[in-house]
Amino acid sequence: MFTRVGASAFKKDLDNTIALCNALENPQNKYKTIHIGGTNGKGSTSHMLAAILQKAGYKTGLYTSPHLKDFRERIRVNGKMVSKGFVTNFVKAQQQLINKIEPSFFEVTVGMAFSYFEQEQVDVAVIEVGLGGRLDSTNIIKPELSVITNISLDHTNMLGNTLAEIAFEKAGIIKPNTPVVIGERHPETDLVFIKKAKEQNASLVFTEDVLRVANISKKASTLKLDINQKNQPLLKGLTLDLTGTYQLKNILTVIEAVQELRKIGYQIPDEAIYQALKNVKKLTGLQGRWQTLAKNPLVICDTGHNKAGIAEVIQNINQTPHQYLHMVIGMVKDKDISAVLALLPKNATYYFCEPQLERALSANELATQAADYNLKGNVFNTVQEALNNAKDNAKDRDLIFIGGSTFVVAEIL
């Protein structure tokens, strides 16, 4: 529902989730959990951490949202999607309960994921926050570690108009006596996290205070780097199969999370880290993160969709050798469209389109607003039409980028 219509589907309390999980006998309390929130990067961070735990020998649940192609992507155990049978049986078995409580689509999915992880007897589940944190349906878990990747402006109509207000919502996943890792520092948000951690007697670490990346080299399908801790080598020659430059921030958050997990007794050898990070996509099914879809011309998609996410996309475009740029772009209505359009490169041809959902911004409206920023191109009825036209126009050494919204990427995949 939120996917389709946006803010009107967002429920500002945990009552339904609590009632639903009580009726299911609180499956989320029957295994260990790790909670991951933040504005950008929480999906990549969740997948990388799940891959590492898998390689370290833990039976690992992974709950993420939204999905790109198949609803079942949201619920995985050791990278394998939940079975169709479990999904349909759960809904059938809980139909009366669902009718009684009237939970949202997201709330039912959270209850389903928690139940599946209990049935599968996972050792640990990595749970990605859906939206915000404090009032997100996932926030009934009692995690062993909380992770907040970063804070930037997104979903301002629901979470607040300033970074501090948004940080307050995200800080809601900081729990009593539970360590918390914050990926990036920011003068407007640091104090919000420090205050909340103090109130909860939770140990707090800012990743960028302790870890740094060094010796970065990028190939078409891999990113290679070292990680230093307080200027001493910690992990040398790590290879990532996720090549977006923004993964350089996410990887530090992931490694600091591993360090914290080791402190509380998790057995995670370095070898598990090396093996997992080389194979995140294979181990967890992660898609849509600076993903190459074709060559000659090069076609790349990315799910970055807010100001900070698009800034990272532009950085990646600038670092990718190409002759001419073709941008297949669509957006949804509830984003800060002008902030995104202001960042987009002017020396490109645009193919304005709209994903097939009620929340989509019409391609005509997008093109009209884009014209104010000197972004020129044509309007297409569907994402596929836009891409086909870009392919017809592109030469072998050109770059076609597809993005602006998770839902645009979903339709292409």
Side-chain angles (χ1 to χ4, degrees):
M1 188 70 180
F2 172 74
T3 297
R4 289 196 295 115
V5 299
S8 62
F10 180 54
K11 300 209 176 158
K12 291 210 167 203
D13 60 58
L14 297 174
D15 298 353
N16 281 353
T17 310
I18 290 165
L20 189 64
C21 287
N22 278 341
L24 296 169
E25 298 180 359
N26 290 308
Q28 74 282 0
N29 297 337
K30 294 171 186 169
Y31 41 84
K32 294 171 177 177
T33 54
I34 296 161
H35 211 179
I36 301 189
T39 305
N40 293 311
K42 59 183 184 287
S44 296
T45 300
S46 298
H47 283 79
M48 282 193 264
L49 193 53
I52 289 168
L53 288 163
Q54 252 170 268
K55 275 292 177 191
Y58 293 94
K59 189 172 188 183
T60 307
L62 176 60
Y63 175 74
T64 57
S65 62
H67 61 274
L68 289 171
K69 296 201 299 195
D70 185 327
F71 169 78
R72 297 177 304 137
E73 291 167 30
R74 294 169 181 248
I75 305 169
R76 297 176 184 269
V77 171
N78 281 357
K80 194 167 179 255
M81 291 193 292
V82 59
S83 69
K84 289 181 180 178
F86 183 88
V87 176
T88 53
N89 292 340
F90 179 87
V91 176
K92 264 185 212 149
Q94 306 307 332
Q95 193 66 61
Q96 275 183 303
L97 179 64
I98 290 167
N99 291 344
K100 183 179 156 197
I101 296 172
E102 295 188 342
S104 69
F105 164 82
F106 189 80
E107 288 164 339
V108 176
T109 308
V110 167
M112 183 189 295
F114 291 166
S115 295
Y116 186 63
F117 297 152
E118 180 195 11
Q119 179 191 293
E120 290 297 301
Q121 298 182 317
V122 299
D123 298 316
V124 59
V126 176
I127 309 291
E128 183 198 5
V129 170
L131 177 70
R134 184 173 65 95
L135 300 172
D136 187 72
S137 302
T138 63
N139 203 29
I140 64 165
I141 60 174
K142 299 181 178 106
E144 297 207 299
L145 174 69
S146 301
V147 177
I148 299 170
T149 56
N150 56 41
I151 303 296
S152 52
L153 294 172
D154 198 10
H155 300 294
T156 49
N157 54 336
M158 289 168 279
L159 301 180
N161 293 308
T162 67
L163 292 179
E165 284 173 350
I166 293 171
F168 173 77
E169 293 299 329
K170 307 275 184 194
I173 70 168
I174 299 174
K175 297 293 193 315
N177 310 307
T178 304
V180 56
V181 171
I182 309 290
E184 294 172 46
R185 274 190 173 278
H186 193 286
E188 283 180 56
T189 60
D190 289 359
L191 285 173
V192 178
F193 296 132
I194 291 164
K195 181 172 180 274
K196 180 70 174 178
K198 207 170 177 181
E199 284 167 10
Q200 299 287 4
N201 193 34
S203 68
L204 173 87
V205 60
F206 287 97
T207 298
E208 61 182 68
D209 290 355
V210 284
L211 298 181
R212 289 272 187 283
V213 290
N215 303 324
I216 304 151
S217 64
K218 190 173 174 178
K219 290 190 180 144
S221 57
T222 57
L223 198 57
K224 208 164 185 181
L225 54 105
D226 298 343
I227 292 181
N228 295 339
Q229 183 173 30
K230 308 267 190 193
N231 299 325
Q232 295 296 315
L234 180 68
L235 294 161
K236 286 177 84 73
L238 271 185
T239 303
L240 275 67
D241 67 343
L242 305 174
T243 58
T245 50
Y246 48 82
Q247 303 299 2
L248 296 173
K249 296 176 186 175
N250 294 333
I251 188 61
L252 293 180
T253 309
V254 169
I255 298 304
E256 187 51 41
V258 168
Q259 299 283 74
E260 292 299 317
L261 290 172
R262 283 169 165 172
K263 282 183 202 169
I264 56 175
Y266 280 76
Q267 301 295 310
I268 304 171
D270 284 357
E271 188 53 32
I273 298 172
Y274 282 96
Q275 288 304 317
L277 294 176
K278 254 185 226 170
N279 300 294
V280 177
K281 291 188 275 196
K282 199 166 109 193
L283 289 168
T284 68
L286 180 63
Q287 294 191 86
R289 306 316 195 271
W290 198 248
Q291 183 175 348
T292 300
L293 302 177
K295 290 178 178 170
N296 304 324
L298 189 58
V299 181
I300 291 177
C301 68
D302 192 277
T303 54
H305 55 268
N306 50 37
K307 187 181 174 186
I310 293 293
E312 296 286 357
V313 162
I314 304 303
Q315 195 183 334
N316 280 285
I317 287 173
N318 292 339
Q319 290 181 10
T320 304
H322 61 273
Q323 202 153 22
Y324 189 72
L325 179 62
H326 304 262
M327 299 282 285
V328 176
I329 293 287
M331 293 184 73
V332 290
K333 291 173 193 161
D334 50 15
K335 296 291 168 193
D336 186 354
I337 290 149
S338 55
V340 168
L341 293 175
L343 293 175
L344 293 175
K346 292 171 178 46
N347 55 340
T349 298
Y350 283 80
Y351 303 78
F352 300 107
C353 56
E354 60 194 81
Q356 303 299 300
L357 73 161
E358 289 165 60
R359 251 172 93 202
L361 180 71
S362 90
N364 281 313
E365 173 64 22
L366 180 58
T368 303
Q369 290 194 40
D372 295 341
Y373 294 87
N374 257 350
L375 307 176
K376 298 182 177 69
N378 293 315
V379 171
F380 298 88
N381 291 326
T382 68
V383 178
Q384 195 60 56
E385 263 181 62
L387 177 59
N388 291 346
N389 198 268
K391 283 178 176 171
D392 289 345
N393 292 336
K395 296 186 168 64
D396 274 6
R397 289 172 59 204
D398 289 358
L399 168 60
I400 299 172
F401 174 78
I402 306 157
S405 163
T406 301
F407 306 108
V408 169
V409 172
E411 286 188 25
I412 286 305
L413 290 174

